[in-house]
Amino acid sequence: MPLSGRAILITGASSGIGRGLCSEYVGAGARVYATGRNEVALAETIADLPEGSAVGIPADITTEAGRRAIATAIDHGGGTLDVVVHAAGLLGPPGVPLAAYPEEEWRSVFEVNVTSVHLLHQLLVTYLDSSTAPVVIGLSSTVGRQGRAGWGMYAVSKHALEGWLATLAHEFRGKVFSINPGGTRTPMRAVAVPGEDPATLPTASDIAPIFLRLAHSSAPEPTGALFDARDWIGSHPWEGLESP
Ligand code: NAP
C-alpha cells in the first residue's frame, strides 16, 4: 500500500473534504487520526472506515484543551506523525462586504482558519520531527489567492493561511504545501454558493489524487508549492513515486 506506515492527522474530518480524505488515506494504507468538534458526525466518519484504521478525536481546535486532546491521542498512538492535513475551516457569513462585516464573525473565522492552524502546528512539530518525511498541507481557496467581493474574512483568512504556509516552507524540516480544492460538493460550499447544483461539483474523493500524492514520503514536489486539486482529478496519485 503506497501510504502504509504513514500516520496522518486530518482536521475537519467530521464533514466534507476532511471526511472524504479520511477514507482515501485509509484506502491507501495510512493510519489516520481524524478530528472535528461534532462527536456524532465524527463517529459517522470513523464508522465508515475499516476497524482499527482510524482514531477519532473530538476536539475544538480553537481551544488549548482541544489541541492538547489531539496531541494526547497521537502520544497514545505511538507519538509519530508523518502528515497533517489542515482541512478544518469556517466560512463565516456569505456575501457580506468588508465594510459591514461583523466583528465577532471576523474574529472567529480567523481563529479557526489561521490562528488554530498555527497553534496546532506548534504542538505537533515534536511529533512531525519523528517522521523521516514530514508533510504539512493547508487547504486554501481560489479566494485565498485572488480577491473577490463578498467573501469577507474567509478570503482574508485564506490569504493569511497562504502567507503562513509560505513562511513555514522556509522554516520546516519537512515539506509544506497549499492545496486549493476548488468548488467541492460539501456542506460549506452549499452555504457559500446557494442555488448551485451540487451534482455539478467534484466530490472530495474526486479531488483526492493530489492530497494522496503529496502525503507520500517520496513525492518529488518542492516544499512551498501551490496546487489546484481540480488539475489533478483523474490522475494517478502514485505515478513516478518509489514504493514506501
Ligand atoms: P465543511 O464541510 O464545512 O467542513 C468543515 C470542517 O471544519 C468540519 O469538519 C468542522 O467540524 C471543522 N471545524 C470547523 N470549526 C472547527 C473548530 N473550531 N474545531 C475543529 N473543527 C472545526 O467544509 P469543507 O467544504 O469540507 O471544507 C474543508 C476545507 O476546504 C476548508 O478549509 C475550506 O475552507 C476549504 N475549501 C473548501 C471548498 C469547497 O468548495 N468545499 C473550496 C475551497 C476551499 P465540526 O463542525 O465538527 O467542528
Side-chain angles (χ1 to χ4, degrees):
M1 299 281 261
L3 296 182
S4 66
R6 300 285 272 170
I8 302 183
L9 170 69
I10 303 161
T11 70
S14 52
S15 177
I17 295 171
R19 172 179 277 176
L21 290 178
C22 287
S23 67
E24 294 291 331
Y25 281 133
V26 164
R31 216 157 38 85
V32 158
Y33 296 99
T35 185
R37 283 170 309 180
N38 184 323
E39 292 195 31
V40 174
L42 189 61
E44 284 168 16
T45 300
I46 301 294
D48 282 346
L49 303 171
E51 182 131 13
S53 60
V55 175
I57 315 160
D60 181 341
I61 55 167
T62 65
T63 68
E64 189 173 347
R67 294 188 296 270
R68 290 228 163 268
I70 295 170
T72 301
I74 296 167
D75 272 329
H76 289 159
T80 299
L81 189 63
D82 299 288
V83 182
V84 183
V85 180
H86 292 283
L90 213 54
L91 177 66
V96 178
L98 290 175
Y101 207 88
E103 180 178 345
E104 201 176 319
E105 307 265 25
W106 176 269
R107 291 187 190 282
S108 58
V109 173
F110 195 81
E111 187 74 20
V112 173
N113 294 0
V114 184
T115 307
S116 302
V117 172
H118 169 65
L119 294 176
L120 185 57
H121 177 77
Q122 288 189 325
L123 209 55
L124 296 178
V125 163
T126 172
Y127 304 106
L128 289 164
D129 269 346
S130 65
S131 171
T132 50
V135 174
V136 172
I137 296 175
L139 269 77
S140 187
S141 166
T142 306
V143 299
R145 295 178 182 170
Q146 62 193 55
R148 191 183 296 171
W151 284 75
M153 172 42 99
Y154 180 78
V156 174
S157 69
K158 293 297 185 181
H159 275 83
L161 180 69
E162 290 282 9
W164 184 83
L165 293 165
T167 305
L168 187 68
H170 288 274
E171 298 177 354
F172 184 54
R173 180 176 69 83
K175 290 190 176 180
V176 179
F177 300 113
S178 164
I179 301 180
N180 169 23
T184 308
R185 197 184 308 167
T186 71
M188 181 190 285
R189 178 70 183 190
V191 175
V193 188
E196 184 178 50
D197 178 2
T200 62
L201 294 170
T203 63
S205 156
D206 292 332
I207 62 162
I210 188 60
F211 287 90
L212 290 167
R213 181 177 179 84
L214 296 179
H216 194 279
S217 57
S218 71
E221 283 73 16
T223 190
L226 278 59
F227 297 88
D228 287 303
R230 281 188 172 197
D231 293 346
W232 296 75
I233 289 176
S235 69
H236 194 295
W238 321 118
E239 193 159 331
L241 305 189
E242 297 161 20
S243 336

